[in-house]
Amino acid sequence: MDYYSGQISRLIEELSRLPGIGSKSAARLAFHLIHMPVEEVERLADTMVDARKNVRYCRQCYTLTDQELCPICSNQERDQKTIMVVETTRDLAAYEKTGKYKGVYHVLHGAISPMIGVGPGDIKLKELIERLQGEVDEVIIATNSSLEGETTAMYISKLIKPAGIKVSRIASGVPVGGDLEYIDEVTLLRALEGRTQL
Amino acid sequence: MDYYSGQISRLIEELSRLPGIGSKSAARLAFHLIHMPVEEVERLADTMVDARKNVRYCRQCYTLTDQELCPICSNQERDQKTIMVVETTRDLAAYEKTGKYKGVYHVLHGAISPMIGVGPGDIKLKELIERLQGEVDEVIIATNSSLEGETTAMYISKLIKPAGIKVSRIASGVPVGGDLEYIDEVTLLRALEGRTQL
């Protein structure tokens, strides 16, 4: 791509490394950035670096946050005894968008997948078990309905049911193989209402 | 989007202002950035700001470059007496990708469009006329085959033909209404070979 001069080529190359951005989109973005006011480009650049540096795991639920304790865990109006287990922060956001769930979350940051070598020790499962030492009414497992998500759900259920804690799984309103993040809110709510005890 | 904490929301918001990036893609990008090594995020951020600050117009052909004179204009192996007039730097890149054009360019940064109030004074047309005071064998007009591109081609042709300079237009191998940037190289070359004198 040396028909663009050095700095433009470098920018296009850097941008095309991001997920979902091919070389055409990268060029389009690069030229857009070059025509933006310089202070807007600086603000975007600073926001990226700040977010990368300051965002960490919530010490209770392990969602990504810029605080010690995330806004959901520190909200006393939320039911702190009902824990919904999700794979990612984006899945948490999908349930938050429904505006109806009043409990808290636990973000695993992945799912058990022997195929790609992800075991129970590679996700935030130990941390979930530790949380269950406190007062907990119910654990709602909302992992994806993929093979990995179902495996993880079964694993968690077998692990914590002996402790006498109520464990449920969101209903199969969620289409099999679907990605939680892209499902409409009505389906998400139906799945929550129809959850079955494991 | 307050189910994400402040810095993540801000990042998603900034990213979703970019062209072709919706809120879902912005979230995907944001989480990708948060999981990237901090030095890679800083490098991307610096590249953006540097490109924005250092990229300017080539003083001869007005393409975007980080040098006083772009690599094409300063290359003495290129035919400096044949000038291809294009609308954007990306159109220039499209012709450069064919690897067969040996002349130089002139980037207008737009096309005449009375509909949206873009007149001849709003694109780099005066600058083209000034260039023609020097030694020029041929001006090849390679504006898009859209209404605006054709209008611009006719305007340029009427303006410079009286001066006795050979003016040509790339052939209509380029599909009408198509965007030069997205056309395959074979079609682009056919259009160049079949150019007709205006």
Side-chain angles (χ1 to χ4, degrees):
Chain A
M1 266 201 250
D2 48 349
Y3 21 85
Y4 293 128
S5 62
Q7 302 226 359
I8 303 179
S9 300
R10 254 196 307 283
L11 180 56
I12 294 175
E13 199 195 308
E14 290 273 350
L15 290 171
S16 62
R17 284 212 199 106
L18 297 174
I21 298 187
S23 63
K24 290 256 193 243
S25 315
R28 197 169 276 277
L29 277 176
F31 285 103
H32 180 85
L33 286 168
I34 284 163
H35 288 99
M36 265 165 69
V38 66
E39 57 277 15
E40 279 186 32
V41 178
E42 285 174 328
R43 196 178 60 211
L44 172 59
D46 290 345
T47 306
M48 280 165 44
V49 173
D50 287 352
R52 174 58 188 83
K53 285 191 174 163
N54 300 327
V55 170
R56 66 191 110 170
Y57 292 137
C58 166
R59 71 170 155 79
Q60 183 166 283
C61 77
Y62 292 86
T63 191
L64 293 164
T65 177
D66 50 9
Q67 290 150 290
E68 176 80 7
L69 200 63
C70 79
I72 296 169
C73 285
S74 57
N75 183 349
Q76 287 310 315
E77 286 177 15
R78 303 288 294 237
D79 172 7
Q80 300 284 335
K81 295 180 187 169
T82 302
I83 301 176
M84 179 185 282
V85 180
V86 291
E87 292 182 24
T88 67
T89 296
R90 279 178 290 166
D91 293 339
L92 176 159
Y95 258 109
E96 281 301 285
K97 270 177 217 167
T98 70
K100 296 282 171 60
Y101 176 66
K102 297 299 175 199
V104 293
Y105 296 91
H106 187 86
V107 183
L108 295 173
H109 292 283
I112 297 170
S113 174
M115 289 280 288
I116 57 165
V118 179
D122 300 314
I123 59 178
K124 303 284 175 197
L125 205 54
K126 187 167 51 72
E127 293 80 354
L128 173 64
I129 306 304
E130 275 164 23
R131 273 181 85 177
L132 301 182
Q133 308 304 316
E135 246 186 302
V136 175
D137 286 341
E138 184 179 0
V139 172
I140 304 167
I141 306 179
T143 50
N144 281 324
S145 66
S146 60
L147 180 62
E148 292 78 15
E150 294 293 352
T151 307
T152 309
M154 288 310 297
Y155 188 92
I156 296 175
S157 160
K158 283 189 179 155
L159 202 66
I160 64 185
K161 260 184 93 172
I165 297 165
K166 186 176 168 192
V167 184
S168 60
R169 176 89 173 103
I170 54 167
S172 59
V174 176
V176 174
D179 209 356
L180 219 72
E181 189 189 355
Y182 292 101
I183 295 162
D184 65 278
E185 293 164 27
V186 177
T187 310
L188 285 173
L189 280 177
R190 198 163 296 159
L192 178 62
E193 281 158 14
R195 68 184 183 266
T196 52
Q197 199 163 337
L198 298 181
Chain B
M1 269 202 247
D2 46 349
Y3 23 85
Y4 293 128
S5 61
Q7 302 226 1
I8 304 179
S9 302
R10 253 196 308 282
L11 180 56
I12 294 174
E13 200 194 309
E14 291 272 352
L15 290 171
S16 61
R17 285 212 200 105
L18 298 173
I21 298 186
S23 63
K24 291 253 193 245
S25 315
R28 197 168 277 276
L29 277 176
F31 284 104
H32 180 85
L33 286 168
I34 285 165
H35 288 99
M36 264 164 73
V38 66
E39 57 277 16
E40 280 186 30
V41 177
E42 284 173 328
R43 197 178 61 212
L44 172 59
D46 289 346
T47 307
M48 279 166 45
V49 173
D50 287 352
R52 174 60 188 82
K53 285 190 173 161
N54 299 327
V55 171
R56 67 192 108 170
Y57 293 135
C58 166
R59 71 171 154 78
Q60 182 166 284
C61 77
Y62 292 87
T63 191
L64 293 164
T65 178
D66 49 9
Q67 289 149 291
E68 176 80 5
L69 200 63
C70 79
I72 296 169
C73 284
S74 55
N75 182 349
Q76 286 311 313
E77 287 177 15
R78 304 287 296 234
D79 173 8
Q80 301 283 335
K81 294 180 187 169
T82 301
I83 301 175
M84 180 185 282
V85 179
V86 292
E87 292 182 24
T88 68
T89 295
R90 278 178 291 168
D91 293 340
L92 175 159
Y95 258 108
E96 281 301 285
K97 270 177 219 168
T98 69
K100 298 282 171 62
Y101 176 66
K102 299 298 176 202
V104 293
Y105 296 91
H106 188 88
V107 183
L108 294 172
H109 292 283
I112 297 169
S113 174
M115 289 281 286
I116 57 166
V118 178
D122 300 315
I123 58 179
K124 303 286 175 196
L125 204 54
K126 186 167 51 70
E127 293 80 356
L128 173 64
I129 305 304
E130 275 163 24
R131 272 180 86 177
L132 302 182
Q133 308 305 314
E135 246 186 302
V136 174
D137 287 341
E138 183 179 0
V139 171
I140 302 167
I141 306 178
T143 51
N144 281 323
S145 68
S146 61
L147 181 61
E148 292 79 13
E150 295 293 352
T151 306
T152 309
M154 289 309 298
Y155 189 91
I156 295 174
S157 160
K158 283 189 179 155
L159 204 64
I160 64 185
K161 260 185 93 172
I165 298 166
K166 186 177 170 194
V167 184
S168 61
R169 175 91 175 101
I170 53 168
S172 60
V174 176
V176 173
D179 210 353
L180 219 70
E181 189 189 354
Y182 292 102
I183 296 162
D184 65 280
E185 294 164 27
V186 177
T187 310
L188 285 173
L189 281 176
R190 198 163 298 159
L192 178 62
E193 281 156 14
R195 66 184 184 266
T196 52
Q197 201 165 335
L198 297 181

